[in-house]
Amino acid sequence: MIRPDRRALLAGAAMLFAGPATAQGRRDAYADSPWRKLTDAEWRKRLPPASYRILRHEDTERAGTSPLNGEKRRGTFVCLGCDLPLFSSATKYESGTGWPSFWRALPGAVTTKTDYKIGYPRTEYHCARCLGHQGHVFDDGPRPTGLRYCNNGLALKFIPA
């Protein structure tokens, strides 16, 4: 088993949640967001139980269970926690993984950190405004980015165009 470097893990978490700068070194436009001031109890009241576990405690829904997998209309996928637009339907594609997948996030919509939960590093992404967990991004997606944002459907809401 690969043991994560504790110092790197703590530094990554600090960069994601510390405030004015994001992990990419840019200013955090949502540092003062009221969404970040909600308590765990307030989030629990606001969200359905499964969505709460995903958005606030980095859980993962079972593959193939999201109705958003089959969503093909034009529109925008937004964070279920705070309604921040995260993905355009123009970037959604069928990845065959069982989760809604996108090849590009909207500018400034997500922030990333390194996740070691399964023993090796993966890139986890969160809503930039409320820091709700969305999923993981991989480098096996289609052109033009080569990325696959693999999203929990229960962390999203679809707004038709």
Side-chain angles (χ1 to χ4, degrees):
M1 177 172 127
I2 299 171
R3 292 193 46 114
D5 176 358
R6 182 177 162 86
R7 204 171 312 163
L9 179 63
L10 293 173
M15 287 182 1
L16 176 62
F17 298 109
T22 66
Q24 294 81 18
R26 292 172 279 185
R27 172 135 177 79
D28 183 350
Y30 300 108
D32 297 322
S33 170
W35 294 102
R36 294 193 188 175
K37 294 174 177 54
L38 293 178
T39 66
D40 191 64
E42 290 169 320
W43 279 114
R44 188 184 297 272
K45 283 184 200 173
R46 292 181 53 82
L47 298 168
S51 296
Y52 163 78
R53 289 189 302 273
I54 291 166
L55 285 162
R56 306 319 306 169
H57 294 283
E58 300 175 349
D59 199 3
T60 301
E61 70 192 11
R62 206 171 29 144
T65 61
S66 174
L68 294 180
N69 284 339
E71 182 58 67
K72 301 203 183 322
R73 295 175 291 172
R74 285 184 40 231
T76 305
F77 293 84
V78 304
C79 174
L80 185 70
C82 70
D83 291 330
L84 181 70
L86 302 178
F87 300 98
S88 164
S89 62
T91 65
K92 186 176 185 287
Y93 74 101
E94 178 51 56
S95 67
T97 62
W99 288 281
S101 297
F102 307 87
W103 51 266
R104 176 180 290 142
L106 293 170
V110 300
T111 188
T112 62
K113 73 174 185 177
T114 303
D115 163 18
Y116 292 97
K117 288 184 193 91
I118 62 172
Y120 62 88
R122 297 183 297 169
T123 302
E124 181 177 308
Y125 65 96
H126 292 246
C127 169
R129 180 161 56 194
C130 73
L131 302 178
H133 171 74
Q134 295 293 322
H136 292 84
V137 62
F138 302 95
D139 62 2
D140 60 0
R143 291 182 178 188
T145 64
L147 298 176
R148 173 173 50 98
Y149 287 86
C150 189
N151 216 100
N152 287 287
L154 292 173
L156 294 172
K157 178 169 53 174
F158 179 71
I159 309 294

